[in-house]
Amino acid sequence: MSQTASATPAHRATTSTGDAIFAAAAKGCGILVLVILSAIIVSLFIGGLPAFRAFGFNFLVNPDWDPVRQIFGAEVPIYGTLVTAVLGIAIAVPLAFGIAFYLTELAPEWFRRPVGTAVELLAAVPSIIYGMWGFFVVVPIMGDYVQPFMIDLFDGVPVLGTLFAGPAFGTGILTSALILAIMILPFIAATMRDVFLTVPAVFKESAYGVGCTTWEVMRSIVLPYTRASVVGGIMLGLGRALGETMAVTFVIGNTNRISTSLFGPGNTIASIVALEFPESPTGSLKLSSLLALGFLLFVISFIVLAISRLLLRTKVKS
Amino acid sequence: MKIITTALVLAVAGFSAAAEAQQITGAGSSFAAPIYGKWAEAAAAPTGLKLNYQSIGSGAGINQINNRTVDFGASDMPVKPDDLASHKLLQFPTAIGGVVMVVNIPGVEANKLKLTGELIAEIYQGKITKWNDPKLVEMNKGVTLPSLAIAPVYRADGSGTTFVFTDYLSIVDPAWKSSVGAATSVKWPAGNGAKGSEGVASTVKQVKGGIGYVESAYATQNHLVTTHLRNKAGQFVMPEMENFAAAAASADWSKVQNFAIDLNDQPGAKSWPIESATFVLLPTDAKDPAQSKAVTKLFDWSFANGGKIATDLLYVPLPTTVQNQIRAAWAAQIKG
């Protein structure tokens, strides 16, 4: 320390060169991210171009995926990706809200840390583990108990009977959504807990002062105050759910048909790419279609991320 | 001190011996990976060759050899003659394996159920949906078939096994051929996909009423409930070594080009109907001909001495006449 303090002007000159180098390097790192990202988008687009050319707009709405006849469409994977992700969110959000509500308002002080840590640990579990656990534990439970029960229960009931129909494979759209919900739960719960804690104590105390219950404080003070951030957190979870590959591949049934039943099998963009990629010859239309699917997934994820940024920014401004 | 010196000398000798071993690289078929691994292990000492084989799937193996990033490619699906010519590849089979049906029907034990190709095609098209369908019941007198939904399971990942299976269904059922066809992945009209042989096997195990197809070696190792199948001669045969070998022996290898033989639905009373060879693709214009030569040396040794290894792993060795035809093809096309 004392050596640095007694440094000569010459030494200071080297430091400023060092500064310049460091600044340039840091700038380089920043630019590198942009370059890599755009390179990925561009290469996916160029790779997918033959498929876009061959099928045009029809690629997006064609439900066929027929390698024998070289007809490829993205409708089923896009549908599967969106439906599993949205269902996953629908299951995860109430749970995450419950966790966050409990941790910030109800739980005794000593209990908050272990539960909070456990939720964060869920995020650290590799997705292949969720896939295997889903396949060997959740799928048999769904196939042996949940699905036969629901199928019998709603048999003949309009709408519900269609939603819960079909052979009880255990796999399918709903099972995937369940696994996804568990996977994205920690992201949403952690965001909610953090933003709930940002609500100024004086707001809540005033509400309690006029006789509000804990629930009324949550509903009328905390939620309105943090609404944008909560939605932003949900969008982050949605982004993760859209791109999830291995866990979904294990449990979705991997079928290129759109099923009206939630127990029916389906496919997602990420899982079809993972499954079909090794058997796609270079230069083939199939490989190009898979790259085009990758590009579409990129676009979907980008839109979701943009919306979440937008919502979070609104919050910062207000 | 002496001991240390000796140890050092030995270590150096061992190291240089390892360094001297010629390394050959291959990639592709995961179906053939176990046997190539065992063959290379046994051949290492007598031939001085070391094999680095990546089990990445047939399609990827074809890509790799087309780009010449490996010394040989391996595929379960024969490559079209045009593609062989344009990429300057020599194709030859190395071993044969059967594909068997596995089922999960409460009360039905291994090799009790009788199936035909036509019925399997109808099941996988969703035309037969219950195990007590009259067609199945009539074929299986003496077996009690429950009123249970049939849950067909297929390989969701692109796979040579899927090609063999769909090719067989295309041969026996014209409706399958026109509506679905044969490829490493197809547009399945019914059923659920699972990842890999292990995925198909465990899905069938978990789902009551499940039916799936896997390589025979996989079914045997995992004690799955297999079925009888009716062959071209109208006989119901068991999925066992003897019948796999019978089909390979009754095939007419002399008429096919590039050894691209289709072993499905072969004649002969004992022939197992769903069966395929696995192929190696070798460049005829290799940058380093010594590498291609080394590959032929490895398989030459394996053909001559690897028969027992193959049968232990439940692959059928090639008939000797075919092995000799392959040796002739090497002599004619692989220089080095």
Side-chain angles (χ1 to χ4, degrees), chain A residues 31-70:
Chain A
I31 292 172
L32 188 69
V33 175
L34 279 180
V35 170
I36 291 176
L37 190 71
S38 37
I40 294 174
I41 298 178
V42 169
S43 60
L44 279 177
F45 183 74
I46 292 174
L49 209 53
F52 288 129
R53 279 219 186 97
F55 304 114
F57 179 74
N58 211 15
F59 184 68
L60 294 181
V61 292
N62 183 4
D64 264 354
W65 184 273
D66 191 338
V68 180
R69 280 165 199 84
Q70 294 284 307

Side-chain angles (χ1 to χ4, degrees), chain B residues 100-117:
Chain B
V100 302
M101 303 306 298
V102 293
V103 295
N104 174 3
I105 312 166
V108 175
E109 289 160 32
N111 298 328
K112 291 282 180 240
L113 189 73
K114 288 175 179 163
L115 288 172
T116 68

Side-chain angles (χ1 to χ4, degrees), chain A residues 97 100-102 104-105 196 204 207-208 212-226:
Chain A
F97 176 76
F101 185 34
Y102 179 71
T104 53
E105 303 292 334
F196 286 175
K204 290 200 276 185
Y208 284 124
C212 288
T213 61
T214 314
W215 172 247
E216 281 164 348
V217 170
M218 177 52 76
R219 205 191 55 192
S220 319
I221 306 292
V222 177
L223 268 185
Y225 187 82
T226 58

